[in-house]
Amino acid sequence: MSERTPRGPGLRASLFPLTGPLRFLLLSSFLIPLGSFMVLPFMSVFLHERLGMGLGTVGVVLAVASLVQFSGGIVGGALADRIGLRRTMLWALVVRTAGFAGLLLALRWPPFAIWALVLTCCGAALYLPANKAYLVHGVDDERRPAFLSAGNAALNAGMAVGPLIAGPFVLSSPGWLFAAVTTLFLAVTAGHARLPGTTAEHPTGSEDTAPSGLLADVALLPFAANALAFYLYFHFQHFLAVYAVERASSAFYSVVLLLCFTLVIVVQPLASDLIRRMPYALALAVGFTGLAAGLAVLAAGTRAALLAGGALITLGDIVLFLKNDLEALRRSPRSDAVVFGQQRLAAGLGACASGVLGGQLYGLSERAGHTGWFWLLAAAQCLLLPPLLLTLRRRTARRPVPDDDHEGALTRDDTDGRVPGR
Protein backbone atom coordinates (compact mmCIF):
# COMPACT_ATOMS: atom_id res chain seq x y z
CA MET A 1 0.00 0.00 0.00
CA SER A 2 1.46 3.32 -1.05
CA GLU A 3 2.06 6.11 1.40
CA ARG A 4 -0.69 8.73 1.31
CA THR A 5 0.38 12.16 0.22
CA PRO A 6 0.17 14.40 3.28
CA ARG A 7 -2.23 17.31 3.20
CA GLY A 8 -0.31 20.57 3.20
CA PRO A 9 -1.09 23.66 5.25
CA GLY A 10 -3.95 25.89 4.17
CA LEU A 11 -3.41 28.73 1.74
CA ARG A 12 -3.25 31.42 4.41
CA ALA A 13 -0.94 29.38 6.62
CA SER A 14 1.31 28.67 3.63
CA LEU A 15 1.73 32.31 2.66
CA PHE A 16 1.74 34.20 5.93
CA PRO A 17 3.56 35.79 7.56
CA LEU A 18 5.25 37.24 4.46
CA THR A 19 8.61 38.95 4.74
CA GLY A 20 9.05 42.47 3.36
CA PRO A 21 11.02 41.29 0.30
CA LEU A 22 8.37 38.70 -0.59
CA ARG A 23 5.58 41.27 -0.20
CA PHE A 24 7.47 43.57 -2.57
CA LEU A 25 8.09 40.72 -5.01
CA LEU A 26 4.38 39.83 -5.10
CA LEU A 27 3.53 43.51 -5.58
CA SER A 28 6.05 43.62 -8.43
CA SER A 29 4.45 40.51 -9.91
CA PHE A 30 1.32 42.67 -10.28
CA LEU A 31 2.97 45.96 -11.31
CA ILE A 32 5.27 44.51 -14.00
CA PRO A 33 2.50 42.84 -16.06
CA LEU A 34 0.28 45.85 -15.35
CA GLY A 35 2.79 48.12 -17.06
CA SER A 36 3.63 45.61 -19.76
CA PHE A 37 -0.01 44.95 -20.67
CA MET A 38 -0.71 48.66 -20.86
CA VAL A 39 1.42 48.46 -24.03
CA LEU A 40 2.07 44.98 -25.43
CA PRO A 41 -1.50 43.84 -26.29
CA PHE A 42 -1.88 46.91 -28.47
CA MET A 43 1.44 46.66 -30.30
CA SER A 44 -0.10 45.24 -33.47
CA VAL A 45 -2.48 48.19 -33.66
CA PHE A 46 0.25 50.69 -32.74
CA LEU A 47 2.77 49.36 -35.26
CA HIS A 48 0.22 49.16 -38.07
CA GLU A 49 -1.97 52.22 -37.59
CA ARG A 50 0.36 54.66 -35.82
CA LEU A 51 3.72 53.74 -37.39
CA GLY A 52 2.38 52.54 -40.73
CA MET A 53 3.97 49.06 -40.82
CA GLY A 54 2.41 46.46 -43.10
CA LEU A 55 0.49 43.64 -41.44
CA GLY A 56 2.93 41.07 -42.80
CA THR A 57 5.82 42.88 -41.16
CA VAL A 58 3.85 43.31 -37.95
CA GLY A 59 3.15 39.57 -37.83
CA VAL A 60 6.82 38.67 -38.24
CA VAL A 61 7.88 41.18 -35.56
CA LEU A 62 5.33 39.88 -33.04
CA ALA A 63 6.21 36.24 -33.77
CA VAL A 64 9.90 36.88 -33.16
CA ALA A 65 9.14 38.88 -30.02
CA SER A 66 6.94 36.11 -28.60
CA LEU A 67 9.56 33.44 -29.29
CA VAL A 68 12.22 35.55 -27.57
CA GLN A 69 10.02 36.28 -24.57
CA PHE A 70 9.17 32.63 -23.94
CA SER A 71 12.15 30.62 -25.10
CA GLY A 72 14.70 33.15 -23.86
CA GLY A 73 13.74 32.10 -20.35
CA ILE A 74 16.27 29.28 -20.54
CA VAL A 75 19.03 31.89 -20.89
CA GLY A 76 17.53 33.81 -17.98
CA GLY A 77 17.64 30.71 -15.80
CA ALA A 78 21.26 29.99 -16.70
CA LEU A 79 22.23 33.62 -16.05
CA ALA A 80 20.56 33.52 -12.63
CA ASP A 81 22.47 30.35 -11.87
CA ARG A 82 25.72 32.16 -12.66
CA ILE A 83 25.34 35.70 -11.26
CA GLY A 84 22.52 35.26 -8.74
CA LEU A 85 18.77 35.81 -8.60
CA ARG A 86 18.66 39.44 -7.47
CA ARG A 87 21.25 40.67 -9.96
CA THR A 88 19.54 38.82 -12.81
CA MET A 89 16.18 40.39 -11.96
CA LEU A 90 17.83 43.81 -11.72
CA TRP A 91 19.57 43.55 -15.11
CA ALA A 92 16.39 42.18 -16.68
CA LEU A 93 14.41 45.17 -15.45
CA VAL A 94 17.08 47.57 -16.72
CA VAL A 95 16.80 45.98 -20.17
CA ARG A 96 13.01 46.05 -20.09
CA THR A 97 12.88 49.66 -18.91
CA ALA A 98 15.19 50.60 -21.79
CA GLY A 99 12.78 48.87 -24.15
CA PHE A 100 9.78 50.88 -23.00
CA ALA A 101 11.85 54.08 -23.12
CA GLY A 102 12.78 53.10 -26.67
CA LEU A 103 9.11 53.14 -27.65
CA LEU A 104 9.15 56.86 -26.88
CA LEU A 105 11.97 57.28 -29.38
CA ALA A 106 10.01 55.22 -31.89
CA LEU A 107 7.41 57.98 -32.09
CA ARG A 108 10.10 60.04 -33.84
CA TRP A 109 12.03 57.17 -35.50
CA PRO A 110 9.49 54.37 -36.25
CA PRO A 111 12.02 51.60 -37.11
CA PHE A 112 13.31 51.87 -33.53
CA ALA A 113 10.01 50.34 -32.36
CA ILE A 114 11.15 46.88 -33.45
CA TRP A 115 14.31 47.01 -31.36
CA ALA A 116 12.42 48.50 -28.44
CA LEU A 117 9.88 45.66 -28.53
CA VAL A 118 12.60 43.03 -28.71
CA LEU A 119 14.35 44.64 -25.72
CA THR A 120 11.18 44.45 -23.62
CA CYS A 121 10.80 40.76 -24.53
CA CYS A 122 14.46 40.05 -23.71
CA GLY A 123 13.94 41.65 -20.31
CA ALA A 124 10.87 39.51 -19.67
CA ALA A 125 12.76 36.36 -20.67
CA LEU A 126 15.59 37.13 -18.25
CA TYR A 127 13.32 38.18 -15.38
CA LEU A 128 10.70 35.48 -14.91
CA PRO A 129 12.85 32.41 -14.04
CA ALA A 130 14.79 34.42 -11.45
CA ASN A 131 11.58 35.93 -10.09
CA LYS A 132 9.96 32.52 -9.57
CA ALA A 133 13.13 31.07 -8.06
CA TYR A 134 13.47 34.01 -5.62
CA LEU A 135 9.81 33.66 -4.66
CA VAL A 136 10.19 30.00 -3.63
CA HIS A 137 13.76 30.25 -2.32
CA GLY A 138 14.04 28.43 1.00
CA VAL A 139 10.35 27.43 0.93
CA ASP A 140 9.59 23.80 1.68
CA ASP A 141 7.88 21.68 -0.96
CA GLU A 142 4.45 21.74 0.70
CA ARG A 143 4.29 25.56 0.63
CA ARG A 144 5.75 26.10 -2.85
CA PRO A 145 2.44 25.69 -4.74
CA ALA A 146 0.87 28.45 -2.65
CA PHE A 147 3.75 30.86 -3.40
CA LEU A 148 3.79 30.03 -7.12
CA SER A 149 0.00 30.38 -7.28
CA ALA A 150 0.11 33.73 -5.47
CA GLY A 151 2.70 34.94 -7.99
CA ASN A 152 0.57 33.69 -10.90
CA ALA A 153 -2.52 35.37 -9.43
CA ALA A 154 -0.70 38.70 -9.11
CA LEU A 155 0.63 38.35 -12.67
CA ASN A 156 -2.82 37.62 -14.10
CA ALA A 157 -4.35 40.52 -12.15
CA GLY A 158 -1.83 42.88 -13.74
CA MET A 159 -2.50 41.40 -17.18
CA ALA A 160 -6.25 41.93 -16.71
CA VAL A 161 -6.07 45.53 -15.44
CA GLY A 162 -3.36 46.86 -17.78
CA PRO A 163 -5.40 46.87 -21.03
CA LEU A 164 -8.41 48.38 -19.27
CA ILE A 165 -6.32 51.36 -18.16
CA ALA A 166 -4.39 51.92 -21.38
CA GLY A 167 -6.95 51.15 -24.08
CA PRO A 168 -8.19 54.74 -24.56
CA PHE A 169 -4.65 56.19 -24.76
CA VAL A 170 -2.70 53.84 -27.05
CA LEU A 171 -3.47 55.71 -30.25
CA SER A 172 -4.55 59.09 -28.87
CA SER A 173 -1.68 59.74 -26.40
CA PRO A 174 0.98 57.04 -26.82
CA GLY A 175 3.80 59.34 -25.70
CA TRP A 176 2.27 59.92 -22.28
CA LEU A 177 1.44 56.22 -21.99
CA PHE A 178 4.99 55.07 -22.80
CA ALA A 179 6.41 57.69 -20.42
CA ALA A 180 4.13 56.49 -17.59
CA VAL A 181 5.08 52.85 -18.13
CA THR A 182 8.79 53.72 -18.27
CA THR A 183 8.46 55.62 -14.97
CA LEU A 184 6.67 52.66 -13.39
CA PHE A 185 9.49 50.31 -14.45
CA LEU A 186 12.14 52.71 -13.14
CA ALA A 187 10.44 52.61 -9.72
CA VAL A 188 10.15 48.82 -9.73
CA THR A 189 13.81 48.51 -10.79
CA ALA A 190 14.89 50.78 -7.92
CA GLY A 191 12.93 48.60 -5.50
CA HIS A 192 14.62 45.44 -6.77
CA ALA A 193 18.02 47.04 -6.16
CA ARG A 194 17.16 47.04 -2.44
CA LEU A 195 16.21 43.36 -2.27
CA PRO A 196 18.55 41.20 -0.18
CA GLY A 197 20.59 38.54 -1.93
CA THR A 198 19.83 34.87 -1.34
CA THR A 199 22.14 32.51 0.49
CA ALA A 200 22.10 29.73 -2.10
CA GLU A 201 21.95 31.35 -5.49
CA HIS A 202 24.34 28.86 -7.12
CA PRO A 203 24.06 25.09 -7.43
CA THR A 204 25.88 23.10 -4.84
CA GLY A 205 28.88 21.11 -5.91
CA SER A 206 32.11 22.07 -7.57
CA GLU A 207 32.29 23.90 -10.85
CA ASP A 208 33.81 20.82 -12.45
CA THR A 209 30.89 18.57 -11.58
CA ALA A 210 27.96 20.97 -11.82
CA PRO A 211 26.01 20.57 -15.07
CA SER A 212 26.61 23.53 -17.37
CA GLY A 213 24.48 22.86 -20.45
CA LEU A 214 21.23 24.78 -20.75
CA LEU A 215 19.29 21.51 -21.10
CA ALA A 216 21.48 19.34 -18.89
CA ASP A 217 19.39 17.18 -16.54
CA VAL A 218 16.14 18.51 -18.00
CA ALA A 219 13.06 16.80 -16.57
CA LEU A 220 11.95 15.37 -19.89
CA LEU A 221 8.34 14.45 -19.11
CA PRO A 222 7.35 17.80 -17.51
CA PHE A 223 9.25 19.59 -20.30
CA ALA A 224 7.35 17.70 -23.01
CA ALA A 225 4.04 18.01 -21.15
CA ASN A 226 4.54 21.78 -20.79
CA ALA A 227 5.36 22.17 -24.49
CA LEU A 228 2.25 20.18 -25.44
CA ALA A 229 0.05 22.08 -22.96
CA PHE A 230 1.16 25.45 -24.34
CA TYR A 231 0.81 24.22 -27.92
CA LEU A 232 -2.82 23.28 -27.30
CA TYR A 233 -3.65 26.26 -25.06
CA PHE A 234 -2.29 28.77 -27.57
CA HIS A 235 -4.85 27.65 -30.13
CA PHE A 236 -7.22 29.49 -27.78
CA GLN A 237 -4.81 32.35 -27.06
CA HIS A 238 -3.86 33.04 -30.69
CA PHE A 239 -7.14 32.59 -32.52
CA LEU A 240 -10.00 33.31 -30.11
CA ALA A 241 -9.88 37.05 -30.89
CA VAL A 242 -10.69 36.76 -34.58
CA TYR A 243 -13.27 34.02 -33.87
CA ALA A 244 -15.02 35.85 -30.99
CA VAL A 245 -15.06 39.34 -32.52
CA GLU A 246 -16.65 37.93 -35.68
CA ARG A 247 -19.46 36.28 -33.70
CA ALA A 248 -19.91 38.73 -30.84
CA SER A 249 -17.84 41.92 -30.44
CA SER A 250 -14.46 43.12 -29.27
CA ALA A 251 -16.08 44.17 -25.98
CA PHE A 252 -17.44 40.67 -25.41
CA TYR A 253 -14.02 39.21 -26.24
CA SER A 254 -12.62 41.41 -23.44
CA VAL A 255 -15.27 39.97 -21.09
CA VAL A 256 -14.14 36.42 -21.95
CA LEU A 257 -10.52 37.32 -21.22
CA LEU A 258 -11.52 39.00 -17.95
CA LEU A 259 -13.35 35.82 -16.90
CA CYS A 260 -10.25 33.73 -17.66
CA PHE A 261 -7.95 36.05 -15.72
CA THR A 262 -10.36 36.08 -12.76
CA LEU A 263 -10.49 32.28 -12.63
CA VAL A 264 -6.69 32.07 -12.47
CA ILE A 265 -6.54 34.76 -9.77
CA VAL A 266 -9.20 33.12 -7.59
CA VAL A 267 -9.07 29.38 -8.30
CA GLN A 268 -5.38 28.56 -8.63
CA PRO A 269 -4.29 29.75 -5.15
CA LEU A 270 -7.24 27.95 -3.56
CA ALA A 271 -6.55 24.74 -5.50
CA SER A 272 -2.75 24.87 -5.24
CA ASP A 273 -2.41 22.30 -2.44
CA LEU A 274 -4.89 19.95 -4.12
CA ILE A 275 -2.86 20.21 -7.34
CA ARG A 276 0.34 19.54 -5.38
CA ARG A 277 -1.09 16.35 -3.89
CA MET A 278 -2.66 15.18 -7.15
CA PRO A 279 -0.84 12.28 -8.87
CA TYR A 280 0.96 13.58 -11.93
CA ALA A 281 -0.78 11.21 -14.34
CA LEU A 282 -4.17 12.28 -12.95
CA ALA A 283 -3.23 15.97 -13.22
CA LEU A 284 -2.32 15.50 -16.88
CA ALA A 285 -5.59 13.68 -17.53
CA VAL A 286 -7.68 16.35 -15.77
CA GLY A 287 -5.85 19.23 -17.41
CA PHE A 288 -5.93 17.96 -20.98
CA THR A 289 -9.56 16.85 -20.60
CA GLY A 290 -10.45 20.37 -19.50
CA LEU A 291 -8.69 21.80 -22.54
CA ALA A 292 -10.45 19.33 -24.83
CA ALA A 293 -13.88 20.09 -23.38
CA GLY A 294 -13.36 23.85 -23.59
CA LEU A 295 -12.08 23.80 -27.16
CA ALA A 296 -14.98 21.58 -28.25
CA VAL A 297 -17.51 23.92 -26.62
CA LEU A 298 -16.05 26.90 -28.51
CA ALA A 299 -17.09 25.26 -31.77
CA ALA A 300 -20.73 26.19 -31.02
CA GLY A 301 -19.80 29.84 -31.56
CA THR A 302 -22.47 31.36 -29.29
CA ARG A 303 -21.74 33.89 -26.54
CA ALA A 304 -22.53 31.31 -23.88
CA ALA A 305 -20.18 28.85 -25.59
CA LEU A 306 -17.38 31.42 -25.67
CA LEU A 307 -17.72 32.02 -21.93
CA ALA A 308 -18.07 28.34 -21.02
CA GLY A 309 -15.26 27.27 -23.35
CA GLY A 310 -12.91 29.93 -21.99
CA ALA A 311 -13.70 28.88 -18.42
CA LEU A 312 -13.06 25.17 -19.08
CA ILE A 313 -9.82 25.88 -20.92
CA THR A 314 -8.63 28.11 -18.08
CA LEU A 315 -9.43 25.49 -15.44
CA GLY A 316 -7.47 22.94 -17.46
CA ASP A 317 -4.42 25.17 -17.81
CA ILE A 318 -4.56 26.06 -14.08
CA VAL A 319 -3.88 22.39 -13.33
CA LEU A 320 -1.41 21.73 -16.14
CA PHE A 321 0.85 24.76 -15.87
CA LEU A 322 1.25 24.62 -12.07
CA LYS A 323 1.66 20.83 -11.88
CA ASN A 324 4.22 20.75 -14.70
CA ASP A 325 6.36 23.34 -12.89
CA LEU A 326 6.10 21.48 -9.58
CA GLU A 327 6.95 18.16 -11.21
CA ALA A 328 9.91 19.67 -13.07
CA LEU A 329 11.26 21.04 -9.77
CA ARG A 330 10.79 17.62 -8.16
CA ARG A 331 12.55 15.65 -10.89
CA SER A 332 15.49 17.90 -11.76
CA PRO A 333 18.65 18.36 -9.67
CA ARG A 334 19.28 21.77 -11.29
CA SER A 335 18.66 25.08 -9.55
CA ASP A 336 15.12 26.45 -9.44
CA ALA A 337 15.98 29.26 -11.86
CA VAL A 338 17.38 26.85 -14.46
CA VAL A 339 14.32 24.58 -14.12
CA PHE A 340 11.94 27.49 -14.60
CA GLY A 341 14.01 28.60 -17.60
CA GLN A 342 13.78 25.15 -19.15
CA GLN A 343 10.02 25.16 -18.64
CA ARG A 344 9.80 28.58 -20.30
CA LEU A 345 11.69 27.18 -23.29
CA ALA A 346 9.12 24.40 -23.53
CA ALA A 347 6.33 26.98 -23.36
CA GLY A 348 7.94 29.02 -26.14
CA LEU A 349 8.34 26.01 -28.41
CA GLY A 350 4.72 25.02 -27.83
CA ALA A 351 3.38 28.53 -28.40
CA CYS A 352 5.44 28.94 -31.57
CA ALA A 353 4.26 25.59 -32.97
CA SER A 354 0.68 26.56 -32.18
CA GLY A 355 1.04 29.79 -34.12
CA VAL A 356 2.52 28.06 -37.16
CA LEU A 357 0.44 24.86 -37.30
CA GLY A 358 -2.69 26.32 -35.75
CA GLY A 359 -2.60 29.21 -38.19
CA GLN A 360 -2.60 26.80 -41.12
CA LEU A 361 -5.52 24.84 -39.65
CA TYR A 362 -7.53 27.97 -38.92
CA GLY A 363 -6.90 29.25 -42.44
CA LEU A 364 -8.11 25.97 -43.93
CA SER A 365 -11.26 25.92 -41.81
CA GLU A 366 -11.96 29.58 -42.61
CA ARG A 367 -11.64 28.98 -46.34
CA ALA A 368 -13.97 26.00 -45.98
CA GLY A 369 -16.52 28.26 -44.25
CA HIS A 370 -16.59 26.17 -41.02
CA THR A 371 -14.25 27.74 -38.46
CA GLY A 372 -15.97 25.68 -35.76
CA TRP A 373 -14.11 22.66 -37.15
CA PHE A 374 -10.84 24.31 -36.10
CA TRP A 375 -11.82 24.04 -32.43
CA LEU A 376 -13.01 20.46 -32.82
CA LEU A 377 -9.68 19.50 -34.42
CA ALA A 378 -7.83 21.19 -31.55
CA ALA A 379 -10.01 19.33 -29.04
CA ALA A 380 -9.24 16.03 -30.78
CA GLN A 381 -5.52 16.75 -30.43
CA CYS A 382 -6.03 17.23 -26.67
CA LEU A 383 -7.26 13.65 -26.48
CA LEU A 384 -4.91 12.01 -29.01
CA LEU A 385 -1.53 13.61 -28.25
CA PRO A 386 -1.22 13.35 -24.43
CA PRO A 387 -1.10 9.51 -24.42
CA LEU A 388 2.24 9.81 -26.23
CA LEU A 389 3.61 11.32 -23.02
CA LEU A 390 3.10 7.98 -21.28
CA THR A 391 6.08 6.61 -23.19
CA LEU A 392 8.29 9.08 -21.33
CA ARG A 393 7.09 8.22 -17.81
CA ARG A 394 9.48 5.41 -16.92
CA ARG A 395 12.41 6.78 -18.93
CA THR A 396 12.41 10.01 -16.91
CA ALA A 397 12.03 8.58 -13.41
CA ARG A 398 15.18 9.29 -11.40
CA ARG A 399 14.33 6.54 -8.95
CA PRO A 400 11.64 3.83 -8.82
CA VAL A 401 8.14 5.22 -8.28
CA PRO A 402 5.29 2.86 -7.40
CA ASP A 403 3.07 2.32 -10.42
CA ASP A 404 -0.19 3.12 -8.68
CA ASP A 405 -2.69 5.93 -8.46
CA HIS A 406 -0.24 8.12 -6.54
CA GLU A 407 2.54 8.24 -9.09
CA GLY A 408 3.89 11.75 -9.36
CA ALA A 409 2.34 13.01 -6.13
CA LEU A 410 4.71 14.77 -3.77
CA THR A 411 5.45 13.37 -0.33
CA ARG A 412 7.53 14.82 2.48
CA ASP A 413 10.57 12.85 1.37
CA ASP A 414 9.90 13.01 -2.38
CA THR A 415 12.39 15.68 -3.42
CA ASP A 416 14.88 13.61 -5.42
CA GLY A 417 17.68 14.73 -3.14
CA ARG A 418 17.21 18.40 -3.93
CA VAL A 419 17.78 21.09 -1.33
CA PRO A 420 14.65 23.29 -1.03
CA GLY A 421 15.36 26.70 -2.52
CA ARG A 422 18.20 25.55 -4.76
Side-chain angles (χ1 to χ4, degrees):
M1 189 131 182
S2 63
E3 179 183 356
R4 293 181 61 84
T5 305
R7 182 181 297 274
L11 177 64
R12 186 175 182 84
S14 296
L15 288 175
F16 297 101
L18 282 173
T19 63
L22 288 181
R23 284 198 298 270
F24 172 77
L25 208 61
L26 287 174
L27 176 62
S28 298
S29 295
F30 169 76
L31 293 177
I32 289 173
L34 172 71
S36 299
F37 273 67
M38 288 171 67
V39 174
L40 298 181
F42 305 102
M43 283 307 297
S44 60
V45 177
F46 176 75
L47 294 174
H48 179 57
E49 296 189 11
R50 182 71 187 224
L51 301 185
M53 293 186 184
L55 286 175
T57 303
V58 170
V60 172
V61 170
L62 295 181
V64 171
S66 297
L67 186 62
V68 169
Q69 182 167 341
F70 276 101
S71 299
I74 194 168
V75 178
L79 182 65
D81 214 26
R82 181 172 294 274
I83 70 172
L85 303 177
R86 185 182 68 87
R87 282 193 287 177
T88 299
M89 289 190 291
L90 193 58
W91 279 111
L93 287 170
V94 169
V95 171
R96 205 164 193 190
T97 303
F100 285 114
L103 290 174
L104 278 169
L105 299 177
L107 293 174
R108 183 177 293 270
W109 300 290
F112 203 81
I114 298 174
W115 297 105
L117 180 60
V118 171
L119 273 179
T120 65
C121 293
C122 287
L126 295 176
Y127 180 82
L128 193 60
N131 168 272
K132 283 188 171 184
Y134 195 104
L135 191 62
V136 300
H137 172 73
V139 176
D140 61 72
D141 290 321
E142 291 183 357
R143 299 175 66 206
R144 284 185 166 205
F147 278 81
L148 289 175
S149 296
N152 288 339
L155 183 143
N156 278 270
M159 291 167 63
V161 175
L164 298 177
I165 295 175
F169 309 108
V170 171
L171 295 179
S172 61
S173 305
W176 288 105
L177 177 63
F178 296 155
V181 172
T182 302
T183 302
L184 173 63
F185 269 83
L186 283 171
V188 172
T189 303
H192 277 70
R194 298 177 62 85
L195 285 175
T198 58
T199 57
E201 292 196 293
H202 301 278
T204 57
S206 68
E207 295 183 358
D208 294 333
T209 60
S212 57
L214 294 179
L215 285 174
D217 281 329
V218 65
L220 186 57
L221 178 54
F223 182 91
N226 212 42
L228 181 57
F230 271 83
Y231 163 72
L232 295 168
Y233 171 74
F234 264 75
H235 283 68
F236 169 75
Q237 187 79 2
H238 283 314
F239 305 108
L240 181 67
V242 62
Y243 183 76
V245 170
E246 186 179 272
R247 285 157 179 76
S249 66
S250 58
F252 191 79
Y253 170 64
S254 298
V255 171
V256 175
L257 292 185
L258 187 60
L259 170 65
C260 296
F261 285 132
T262 302
L263 285 174
V264 176
I265 294 166
V266 174
V267 174
Q268 192 176 72
L270 295 176
S272 60
D273 187 60
L274 175 63
I275 295 171
R276 177 191 70 86
R277 293 183 289 110
M278 189 181 293
Y280 190 37
L282 177 61
L284 293 179
V286 169
F288 284 117
T289 300
L291 288 181
L295 289 166
V297 168
L298 288 179
T302 64
R303 293 191 172 208
L306 294 174
L307 288 170
L312 288 168
I313 290 168
T314 302
L315 293 174
D317 79 59
I318 283 173
V319 176
L320 285 173
F321 297 164
L322 178 58
K323 188 63 175 182
N324 281 330
D325 278 354
L326 293 173
E327 191 68 10
L329 289 170
R330 184 183 78 89
R331 290 174 180 240
S332 176
R334 302 297 299 273
S335 69
D336 293 345
V338 169
V339 173
F340 286 129
Q342 291 171 342
Q343 291 297 96
R344 288 287 288 181
L345 172 62
L349 294 175
C352 183
S354 178
V356 174
L357 300 177
Q360 296 299 318
L361 287 175
Y362 195 90
L364 287 173
S365 63
E366 189 175 48
R367 287 190 291 273
H370 299 286
T371 48
W373 284 104
F374 168 78
W375 303 107
L376 293 176
L377 288 172
Q381 292 180 77
C382 292
L383 300 177
L384 297 175
L385 295 179
L388 297 178
L389 296 174
L390 297 177
T391 62
L392 300 176
R393 277 171 58 178
R394 298 195 180 280
R395 290 175 54 196
T396 57
R398 299 183 60 82
R399 59 180 175 77
V401 178
D403 189 13
D404 55 27
D405 289 342
H406 291 278
E407 179 174 349
L410 292 174
T411 68
R412 294 184 186 276
D413 301 315
D414 197 9
T415 56
D416 286 342
R418 300 180 77 253
V419 178
R422 277 193 49 216

